[in-house]
Amino acid sequence: MTRIGNMHGPDFTYLGVPKADLDDESTYADADVVIIGAPFDGGTGHRSGCRMGPMAIRGCDYLPHDGSRPHLSLRVDPLQELKIVDVGDVLMPAGDTEKSLERIGEAVRKVCAAGAIPVCIGGDHTIALADITGVARHHGWGRVSVVHFDAHADTGDIIHGELVGHGTPMRRLLESGACRGDRFLQLGLRGYWPEPETLEWMARQGMRCFEMAEIVDRGLDDVLTEASRIALDDCDGVFISVDIDVVDPGMAPGTGTPEPGGFTSRQLLDSVRRLCLELPVVGVEVVEVSPPYDHADITVALGNRVVLEALSAIAARRRGVPVNPARPLLEGR
């Protein structure tokens, strides 16, 4: 299939990185990271619109799209120090969930097989089923830990009469064996779902879920330390899944199922940075950004920066030089 760029708009790449074509492996054969768009919201249970997320996240920046972003605290320029390409959006036809997930899963598998890290921009959280399965097909069934930022557990069984949707992907992943329950970490859960029956199922799988009250009580750094320790134990890589609704809707209103009382935008960026610095990340996704419900690009800008924070930390980790983000900005200049 010929590259389509942004499925719902003009063909431009994430912050100006080079274009690549999934059907031409030579265009990403030596890439470190491949950006993949997943413009799908067919699994949304409340407010739709996140099919427009990939285009919005790629384009939301007040700086030129020149393929360069020096990170002030990490002292890296990930778009220059890593070879990052953008293959555009996977064609995901409205109303055909099976075909859409099959296509994004195969795209992720191909990127992994080429030796690159897939960074998937959604789209609703249904795509996690395909994204993480695609990574597991390459790195090994049950060999990839998942760190999942979300207000919701997404471990429902049947929702609105369907087995597949944005409230069920994590259950389907564990049922398939693609991931292990005891290497599945969830951060930021809060609110009034899931119900006790689903929580009991989650406990039987050995999942570790950090509800917001626990995070506030213990402190985010302590929670991240525990999550990192579990994720590294007896696994070969870590997948970072970020549902933007993990952030309080006051700082991220543009999402389908907002739940008050979440992370600040700063906490999310710091968390993603730390995990990508400390862990062998083999895949990243940022999902549930719904531009129609956003205001002044608040949520879209955060989605853009979550991707950039992950890329910056991956670049700093690969450089192998100890990072002290707290040192004075102009020290040694």
Side-chain angles (χ1 to χ4, degrees):
M1 185 179 298
T2 303
R3 175 193 163 92
I4 61 169
N6 287 302
M7 186 173 166
H8 299 293
D11 184 3
F12 58 86
T13 66
Y14 178 78
L15 302 184
V17 302
K19 296 178 182 179
D21 188 332
L22 272 173
D23 288 337
D24 183 355
E25 294 184 13
S26 68
T27 62
Y28 57 92
D30 57 348
D32 298 305
V33 174
V34 175
I35 308 289
I36 307 171
F40 176 82
D41 58 14
T44 301
H46 185 41
R47 307 191 310 196
S48 61
C50 52
R51 72 180 62 188
M52 309 303 293
M55 179 178 66
I57 289 171
R58 284 185 175 106
C60 186
D61 202 315
Y62 55 85
L63 296 168
H65 281 210
D66 57 1
S68 176
R69 286 297 182 277
H71 194 292
L72 291 182
S73 65
L74 294 180
R75 276 64 160 182
V76 295
D77 186 336
L79 306 189
Q80 292 290 309
E81 297 184 33
L82 297 174
K83 179 163 185 184
I84 303 171
V85 298
D86 187 337
V87 295
D89 287 349
V90 173
L91 184 60
M92 306 184 85
D96 196 333
T97 298
E98 183 177 358
K99 183 177 290 184
S100 294
L101 294 185
E102 178 182 311
R103 287 176 174 174
I104 189 67
E106 177 59 14
V108 169
R109 187 202 62 78
K110 289 175 70 172
V111 167
C112 290
I117 297 172
V119 173
C120 302
I121 308 173
D124 75 46
H125 220 156
T126 309
I127 69 168
L129 176 56
D131 294 342
I132 299 172
T133 298
V135 171
R137 282 181 175 145
H138 176 74
H139 290 281
W141 224 238
R143 301 304 304 166
V144 176
S145 298
V146 178
V147 180
H148 169 207
F149 292 90
D150 206 326
H152 312 98
D154 293 352
T155 50
D157 187 8
I158 299 173
I159 297 180
H160 298 157
E162 298 291 334
L163 288 167
V164 179
H166 77 162
T168 67
M170 307 317 175
R171 183 181 286 241
R172 303 286 91 89
L173 282 165
L174 297 188
E175 288 175 339
S176 73
C179 303
R180 294 166 49 178
D182 61 351
R183 297 297 178 271
F184 209 106
L185 299 311
Q186 299 188 309
L187 289 84
L189 304 187
R190 61 190 186 276
Y192 308 90
W193 185 89
E195 75 294 336
E197 181 183 5
T198 298
L199 292 174
E200 290 167 6
W201 180 89
M202 293 162 62
R204 292 197 298 272
Q205 313 314 307
M207 299 176 73
R208 182 65 172 97
C209 304
F210 300 92
E211 199 263 346
M212 278 303 300
E214 179 182 357
I215 293 173
V216 171
D217 182 66
R218 292 177 54 184
L220 182 57
D221 282 344
D222 190 37
V223 165
L224 289 172
T225 296
E226 181 181 343
S228 294
R229 176 182 56 77
I230 297 171
L232 283 172
D233 182 27
D234 194 32
C235 275
D236 301 323
V238 180
F239 188 98
I240 308 293
S241 177
V242 178
D243 185 326
I244 208 69
D245 74 21
V246 74
V247 174
D248 189 275
M251 293 187 177
T255 191
T257 47
E259 183 64 57
F263 277 36
T264 66
S265 56
R266 181 71 263 163
Q267 286 176 315
L268 178 59
L269 293 172
D270 287 347
S271 298
V272 169
R273 175 202 296 176
R274 178 177 167 184
L275 293 176
C276 290
L277 276 171
E278 294 180 356
L279 303 176
V281 171
V282 294
V284 178
E285 66 181 6
V286 179
V287 300
E288 296 287 350
V289 173
S290 182
Y293 288 95
D294 207 6
H295 171 70
D297 291 337
I298 295 170
T299 316
V300 173
L302 178 58
N304 177 286
R305 289 314 198 240
V306 171
V307 173
L308 190 55
E309 202 71 20
L311 296 176
S312 299
I314 289 169
R317 177 181 170 89
R318 292 198 176 190
R319 183 189 279 184
V321 177
V323 173
N324 177 15
R327 76 182 189 269
L329 177 63
L330 301 182
E331 182 181 90
R333 293 178 183 267

